[in-house]
Every structure is written in C-alpha cells, then in structure tokens.
Amino acid sequence: MRVLVSGGAGYIGSHTVVALIASGHEVVIVDNFSNAKPTVLARLEALTGASIPLHAFDLRDADKTERLFADEAIDAVIHFAGLKAVGESSERPLDYYDNNLGSTFALVRAMARHGVHRLVFSSSATVYGESATAPFTEDLPTSATNPYGWTKVMQEQILTDIAAATPGLQVALLRYFNPVGAHESGTIGEDPQGIPNNLMPFIAQVAVGRRERLSVFGGDYPTPDGTAVRDYIHVMDLADGHVRALEYLGEHPEVAVRAWNLGTGEGTSVLQVVEAFADASGRPVPYEIVARRPEDLAVTYADATRAETELGWRAERTIEQMCADTWRWQSANPQGYPG
Ligand code: NAD
Ligand code: UD1
C-alpha cells in the first residue's frame, strides 16, 4: 500500500514510517513542522534506504490537502498530526480544537473525494477519563478532563459517525498508553521542544546532563512504592501495531470502525522507570519527590487482549529495552535533531 502518514515527521509518526517501509509499504508524509524538525527526513531516508516524499503544509489548508490527494496515489492514511500537550491545551483550548478537529475534517473530506477508504487514527488512553479503573478495556465509556482529551473523544465520535454514514470507509481507533523509547539505531527518537512534559524524555535529559534533577510528581499514591503507575510501550512496538491495524482493515472489509488499546498490559511505577534508566545508561538520575500533578491518575494500564486476539499483535519489548533505546538516541543526540 501507499500510505499517507500525517504528522510523519513527529515522534510516533517517524517510527511508524520505518515500520511501514520495513513491511513493504510505500510512504508519503505530510507535516507542518509545528512540532518537528525537517532534518528527520534525512535520518528516515538513511535508515530505510527509501526516498520519502514529504509535503510541508498544514492539513487544515483544504486546498493543499485536496491537491496532495490529487497528486499522490494514496491507498490509506495514518493520521498522527495533532497537538498533544495536556497542560498547554487548557491554556490554548481553541488552538487545540481548531488544529486537531480541523486537520481531521480536511483529511476526511479529501479521502472521500478521492475514494480512500482506510484510516488509522491516533487516539489515546486519555479517552477513558478519570473514573475508570485499570486495566482499561475498549468498551468503557469515553470522557475527558482537559481540551486535549476532548479532542480525542470528539475525533473518535466524529470518525465513528462518518464511518457509519459512508459505505466502505474503515477506521481503526488506536488508543495508545505511554509511548517511550526510540528506534534501536539511535538515529531517530523523541525530541520535545522546551521542557519535556512527559517522564521518559525528562529522565533522559537529566541523565545526559541537560537538566539537574527529575521532579517525581507524588510519592503518596496507593501503589507499592507510592509513585504513579503507567503502561509504558516501546514506540517500535506501537509502530508495528499501526502496520497490523492497517493490514487488518484490508483483511476485514466488514469492519467499519473499531477501537484497540495499544499497551503492554503491565504497569511500571515512576521510581521503577528511574531505576531502569539509571541501569541502562550507567548514569545517575537524581530526583526529588514533589506534589502530585493535578489530574494525574494513580494507576493506568491497558487490557491488551483485544489487540492480541484480533490483530495478532502484542508488545514485545521490555522496560529495559525502552530505556536502553531512549538512552542510545539521547546520548548520540543530546540536543535532539539538528536544525
Ligand atoms: P508529535 O508532536 O511528535 O507529532 C505530531 C506531528 O504532527 C508533528 O510533527 C507536528 O508538526 C505535526 N502536526 C501537528 N498539527 C499539524 C497540522 N495541522 N498539519 C500538519 N502537521 C501537523 O506527537 P507524537 O507524540 O508523535 O503523537 C502523534 C499522535 O499520537 C498525536 O495525535 C498524539 O495526540 C497522539 N498520542 C500521542 C501520545 C504520546 O505519548 N506521544 C499518546 C497518545 C496519543
Ligand atoms: C500524559 C497525559 C496524557 C497523554 C500522555 C501521553 C497528563 C495529565 N496526561 O500521560 O493525557 O495521553 O501523557 O502524551 O498530562 N511524571 C513525573 N515527573 C515528570 C513527568 C512525569 O513524576 O517530570 C510522572 C507523572 O506524574 C506520571 C508518569 O510520570 O505518573 C508518566 O507521566 P507522563 O509521561 O506525563 O504521562 P501521563 O501522565 O501518563
């Protein structure tokens, strides 16, 4: 298949580009570089040996999106493009609704006009809201506690409604737990701009000496060591999950819309991640325990059985590999991508 990867210059998108090409697919990227650097393309081409067309524009530009579908023979779309910072989404809600919903509208309209019937959408475990108890199953009701989360809930609903009204359209809603790690080459990885919001990139920047110490948000959760528990999943396992979901849609034309959790099904505490990273990197990771972060849940992890039974996909890589691969990327690229 020739797959359009929206947001393909970003963290998860770039890793999925590698997995798609490794599985024999062709890739076209569209990205506006609002949260990525153009230098990722040379890394992707070196890694895959493929020439990858990249269209640099904002998907909300309906004319350009239309032209892209007219010019490139697209068979399927994986839609990563979006803004993703929870805290920022509460400060700039209109930007989040406009970007995340607007890009989806333009994309789905162009798909309909050009007869493209397969869409894999980046959703998040955040759609389980705050009332669910782990492990989370896909049939739990969805809700959210912040504008970012609402954009995911809304996009899932919008895509479900459109799929119901459009014969032949197929949509996979992939709900990621906590993606971390990097490609094992260490040449591509997560490159957050400014102070990282998420745990693993923050730890990596402490280990490499860019930041003094980690603040562990909360040491009094009802968990074995008092720190919060998450389901960390290696980004290359996640990438493979996208390839499987795409292929599954092709094998199951009767499926119009379906949600799958992509997680390991196992929880790891903040302090366990700190320890695993210190072991993998051979560097100390100084930390201090501070107040809880508002809105954080104590324990989240996936029930990952649906993806295993239906897609035949399971996350394979351990927390040790996640840390080792993050460290390989971070130590070889202490300031992230050049440019
Ligand atoms: P990312 O910011 O690295 O990648 C998103 C890419 O989309 C960026 O390269 C950005 O420049 C591009 N983009 C944003 N808006 C665009 C627009 N309007 N037009 C064209 N390009 C645009 O983020 P990521 O971590 O790779 O996440 C990818 C997707 O997965 C996002 O939708 C995110 O919400 C979702 N997700 C991420 C996580 C996570 O922990 N990283 C967890 C759950 C869900
Ligand atoms: C966060 C988002 C979630 C989003 C996910 C992936 C919030 C409230 N939730 O999830 O919506 O889908 O990222 O992008 O922002 N931690 C520290 N110190 C730090 C950073 C994090 O102790 O400097 C802790 C957090 O309290 C949490 C764990 O590490 O317990 C993981 O945090 P993070 O990587 O931000 O992911 P989530 O909070 O699970």
Side-chain angles (χ1 to χ4, degrees):
M1 275 182 275
R2 190 166 165 82
V3 184
L4 177 65
V5 181
S6 85
Y11 171 46
I12 305 170
S14 58
H15 289 78
T16 303
V17 165
V18 175
L20 284 164
I21 293 172
S23 300
H25 300 290
E26 282 178 43
V27 168
V28 177
I29 294 175
V30 57
D31 201 297
N32 67 354
F33 295 111
S34 59
N35 195 35
K37 298 212 183 97
T39 44
V40 71
L41 185 67
R43 302 279 182 100
L44 286 174
E45 293 192 329
L47 205 49
T48 60
S51 154
I52 305 169
L54 190 149
H55 298 259
F57 66 85
D58 192 310
L59 273 172
R60 285 171 294 176
D61 185 328
D63 292 339
K64 287 187 177 156
T65 299
E66 169 65 27
R67 217 170 308 139
L68 168 65
F69 277 80
D71 292 347
E72 301 271 10
I74 306 294
D75 299 309
V77 177
I78 306 185
H79 181 29
F80 293 102
L83 300 175
K84 64 164 184 177
V86 170
E88 185 184 67
S89 79
S90 296
E91 290 153 22
R92 298 168 35 204
L94 182 55
D95 290 342
Y96 272 67
Y97 288 114
D98 190 63
N99 189 74
N100 292 4
L101 302 187
S103 61
T104 301
F105 295 149
L107 195 55
V108 172
R109 279 191 202 286
M111 285 175 66
R113 268 195 298 269
H114 294 273
V116 179
H117 290 308
R118 236 168 262 162
L119 176 66
V120 175
F121 173 65
S122 292
S123 190
S124 166
T126 196
V127 301
Y128 295 117
E130 58 182 359
S131 47
T133 308
F136 297 165
T137 53
E138 289 87 347
D139 45 18
L140 285 167
T142 58
S143 68
T145 55
N146 54 70
Y148 165 72
W150 281 117
T151 70
K152 293 296 178 193
V153 172
M154 289 177 187
Q155 285 175 101
E156 284 202 358
Q157 185 63 50
I158 289 163
L159 292 170
T160 299
D161 292 343
I162 296 171
T166 313
L169 180 63
Q170 296 183 281
V171 180
L173 307 171
L174 300 185
R175 296 174 177 165
Y176 315 155
F177 279 71
N178 288 63
V180 298
H183 186 268
E184 43 272 19
S185 65
T187 61
I188 60 170
E190 187 170 11
D191 182 18
Q193 308 302 300
I195 301 169
N197 295 309
N198 298 114
L199 180 65
M200 188 68 92
F202 201 105
I203 291 179
Q205 292 192 5
V206 171
V208 85
R210 272 173 77 176
R211 307 198 181 271
E212 205 178 322
R213 73 173 68 84
L214 171 74
S215 295
V216 174
F217 298 142
D220 57 351
Y221 284 106
T223 60
D225 65 17
T227 65
V229 167
R230 294 289 180 273
D231 184 341
Y232 298 95
I233 172 169
H234 195 294
V235 67
M236 288 310 300
D237 279 331
L238 190 69
D240 289 338
H242 288 73
V243 178
R244 262 312 296 153
L246 195 60
E247 292 172 352
Y248 174 93
L249 293 180
E251 294 152 12
H252 295 270
E254 74 285 1
V255 172
V257 58
R258 186 87 173 142
W260 288 280
N261 287 336
L262 296 184
T264 63
E266 277 168 37
T268 307
S269 75
V270 175
L271 290 183
Q272 286 174 320
V273 178
V274 168
E275 195 184 324
F277 203 95
D279 285 349
S281 64
R283 299 280 182 103
V285 180
Y287 69 85
E288 64 177 330
I289 294 183
V290 302
R292 294 181 181 189
R293 185 169 64 180
E295 288 188 24
D296 272 353
L297 299 176
V299 178
T300 69
Y301 58 94
D303 181 324
T305 45
R306 184 186 283 185
E308 179 160 7
T309 49
E310 296 182 358
L311 302 179
W313 168 91
R314 203 169 57 144
E316 304 284 355
R317 293 163 176 88
T318 62
I319 192 78
E320 287 73 26
Q321 285 169 285
M322 301 178 209
C323 293
D325 290 337
T326 302
W327 178 241
R328 194 171 302 111
W329 152 253
Q330 186 70 68
S331 51
N333 303 272
Q335 303 299 324
Y337 290 107

